[in-house]
Amino acid sequence: MPLVDVILALVWIGLTAYVLFAGADFGAGGWDLLAGGAERGRRQRGLIEHSIGPVWEANHVWLIFVIVLLWTGVPQVFAAVFSTLYIPLTLAALGIIARGSAFAFRKVSTRLWQRRLFGATFAFSSVVTPFFLGTVAGAIASGRVPPGIAAGNLVTSWLNPTSIVTGALAVGTGAYLAAVYLTRDAERAHSPALAESFRRRGLVTGVVVGVVAAVGLVVLHADAPSLFTELTSGRALPLLVLSVAAGLASLVLLWLRVFVAVRITAAAAVVGLLWGWGVGQFPRLLPGVTARQAAATDAVLAATIGAVAVGALLLVPSLWWLYATFQRGSRQEPASASDQEST
């Protein structure tokens, strides 16, 4: 296998981890926005804070991992994407910063107006950030990022039908994953009412995401016909079928309240869709540019792969320990900041 293919596989693994973990964090922020007033949404926000608190910063390691690999492995693609799409990427970066800051400040704020201000910032950023990241994916998928420094249109490259649908799909996918994950967290916290609330949201969101994905295929047919062909009749078709089947299985499991297994099927639905896009577009990375044409030298690629292998020996066990430790944490229902203030 060419070294550049190994790099791209690692990029997609990192992107998959970011979507499954950070995507759910963004989705939880969206549910925070819809939780209601200070009193009515208190228990939901308490569960959300308890669920994402220890891991939300660590999840962005995957985004850094993807960016570094693109920079070193396919610098031509990195330069084109980050120059043509600097507007949505800058907005996404500002959203990540605002979201993290607001989440931390809300946790330690003692006044109601401060918690509301930081809470609104956290929730709003949690919605718009994945949208802008999704528009970037749509721009690449629809072939609107040509090779060269800022060679594409700085506005229409990411404001177009494919990008808008992909942005909506990114927001919906995060919300769906968050609802699925939070049902189990609520069950583990012995809060059946919260589990039932997020179960209903997961069912509704799952149907909505399925409709958006179907609309996305229609848009791709008109906007990116080559990718549409690969997804519907080419080598990516099995992955698309896997995504649909896993999505339907997730709805059934949610309906039956099987909250552990549905985490696996929901993740499989998202992974199938993401890898279907990757397989369908490979080896074309940009219009007229294949993976081998965009690759760095073999010496750079080999050194990068070696560095990833060494780093993985430290990173993967550390993240696994973090996630596993938290999942084995306290099973008592978490208290929100308003509870802590009242005591």
Side-chain angles (χ1 to χ4, degrees):
M1 176 184 292
L3 294 179
V4 67
D5 292 356
V6 177
I7 290 290
L8 292 176
L10 291 172
V11 167
W12 227 248
I13 290 172
L15 185 60
T16 301
Y18 188 69
V19 170
L20 292 180
F21 296 121
D25 282 357
F26 288 129
W31 293 127
D32 187 287
L33 179 65
L34 300 175
E39 182 59 29
R40 185 164 64 90
R42 174 179 57 81
R43 294 175 64 241
Q44 294 183 30
R45 292 191 176 96
L47 178 66
I48 291 170
E49 288 182 4
H50 179 77
S51 297
I52 73 175
V55 297
W56 67 271
E57 288 180 297
N59 288 335
H60 289 298
V61 168
W62 298 111
L63 180 59
I64 298 170
F65 176 77
V66 169
I67 291 174
V68 171
L69 284 184
L70 286 175
W71 178 31
T72 57
V74 281
Q76 180 181 348
V77 173
F78 177 89
V81 170
F82 278 74
S83 58
T84 294
L85 301 176
Y86 81 89
I87 295 177
L89 287 169
T90 299
L91 292 173
L94 292 174
I96 291 173
I97 295 169
R99 178 179 182 272
S101 301
F103 182 76
F105 290 147
R106 184 178 70 170
K107 190 71 175 177
V108 299
S109 297
T110 58
R111 297 183 180 181
L112 180 59
W113 71 268
Q114 292 175 334
R115 290 202 306 272
R116 285 177 172 173
L117 173 62
F118 293 131
T121 303
F122 162 70
F124 179 74
S125 300
S126 296
V127 174
V128 299
T129 300
F131 175 79
F132 288 127
L133 292 174
T135 62
V136 170
I140 298 171
S142 59
R144 287 184 166 87
V145 183
I149 304 298
N153 190 287
L154 298 181
V155 177
T156 60
S157 59
W158 61 278
L159 281 181
N160 56 77
T162 298
S163 291
I164 292 174
V165 171
T166 308
L169 189 61
V171 175
T173 298
Y176 174 62
L177 288 174
V180 169
Y181 295 169
L182 286 168
T183 54
R184 173 55 183 163
D185 287 346
E187 183 183 54
R188 194 172 61 249
H190 302 293
S191 181
L194 280 179
E196 187 64 21
S197 174
F198 283 111
R199 168 185 167 271
R200 290 193 298 267
R201 296 180 183 191
L203 287 169
V204 173
T205 308
V207 173
V208 172
V209 169
V211 171
V212 173
V215 171
L217 286 176
V218 175
V219 172
L220 279 180
H221 182 269
D223 210 33
S226 60
L227 180 58
F228 172 83
T229 301
E230 287 293 342
L231 285 172
T232 56
S233 60
R235 56 190 173 179
L237 179 59
L239 290 168
L240 186 62
V241 171
L242 169 65
S243 179
V244 173
L248 293 174
S250 298
L251 294 177
V252 173
L253 291 172
L254 268 180
W255 183 267
L256 297 176
R257 298 176 174 84
V258 186
F259 295 146
V260 176
V262 72
R263 286 185 164 191
I264 300 174
T265 56
V270 175
V271 169
L273 185 62
L274 183 63
W275 281 78
W277 167 37
V279 170
Q281 185 156 336
F282 184 82
R284 181 181 60 85
L285 304 184
L286 299 175
V289 178
T290 64
R292 295 192 180 186
Q293 292 172 335
T297 63
D298 284 346
V300 171
L301 295 176
T304 302
I305 293 171
V308 170
V310 173
L313 295 177
L314 297 175
L315 176 63
V316 174
S318 299
L319 289 175
W320 178 267
W321 182 257
L322 173 65
Y323 296 139
T325 299
F326 179 66
Q327 289 296 308
R328 291 196 303 265
S330 172
R331 300 190 175 213
Q332 297 179 354
E333 185 173 346
S336 65
S338 58
D339 292 329
Q340 296 169 359
E341 183 186 54
S342 64
T343 58

